[in-house]
Amino acid sequence: MTAPAFGGEVSEYYQRFRRGYPPAVGDALTAAFALTRDDVVLDLGCGTGQLTRVLAPRVGAVLGMDPEPAMLDQARKAGSPPNVSWLLGADSDLDALTPALGPGRLAAVTVAQALHWMDHARLFAAARSFVRPGGGVAVVTNGEPLWL
């Protein structure tokens, strides 16, 4: 068995040194998807929650979902607004959310700096069924990705 790619000190460094997102990013997403305090957003591949925490004051609930337990542990340690829930899972697990969320329940699905880890076609097809009219999927970056 291989060690998690983002476990241990990697997740600690990720929390400490990864650039966050300014409030303007939350403002842009709020405007683009007409987000309100009645909405739920899924931040997929949330890592240690940099974007999750920016979205939290703007919506009713944010689900921060990541496949690495150590990343979610760091997200919890960094502080969680009361309307944030951290979920262990990946883009391949979206179908498992269907019974809990139902169709059209999400205002948006956000993916910040993690799209390269995901099956794009499957993600966008699965997300379509979860997103309410006027909502959508936002791929967010905070600068040019290092792999480019």
Side-chain angles (χ1 to χ4, degrees), residues 69-81:
M71 296 294 256
L72 296 174
D73 288 343
Q74 288 296 321
R76 287 182 191 97
K77 288 178 186 175
S80 296

Side-chain angles (χ1 to χ4, degrees), residues 30-101:
T30 299
F33 300 124
L35 298 177
T36 71
R37 297 288 299 162
D38 293 327
D39 284 320
V40 177
V41 173
L42 172 64
D43 186 19
L44 188 59
C46 68
T48 56
Q50 283 86 346
L51 183 59
T52 311
R53 283 188 287 281
V54 169
L55 293 168
R58 294 165 168 79
V59 296
V62 184
L63 306 173
M65 188 170 178
D66 199 89
E68 293 286 349
M71 296 294 256
L72 296 174
D73 288 343
Q74 288 296 321
R76 287 182 191 97
K77 288 178 186 175
S80 296
N83 64 333
V84 170
S85 296
W86 304 108
L87 304 174
L88 182 64
D91 60 304
S92 58
D93 299 315
L94 284 180
D95 290 338
L97 293 177
T98 302
L101 293 176

Side-chain angles (χ1 to χ4, degrees), residues 3-15 48 68-71 73-74 77:
F6 292 98
E9 68 182 14
V10 173
S11 65
E12 294 170 22
Y13 292 145
Y14 197 93
Q15 172 57 33
T48 56
E68 293 286 349
M71 296 294 256
D73 288 343
Q74 288 296 321
K77 288 178 186 175

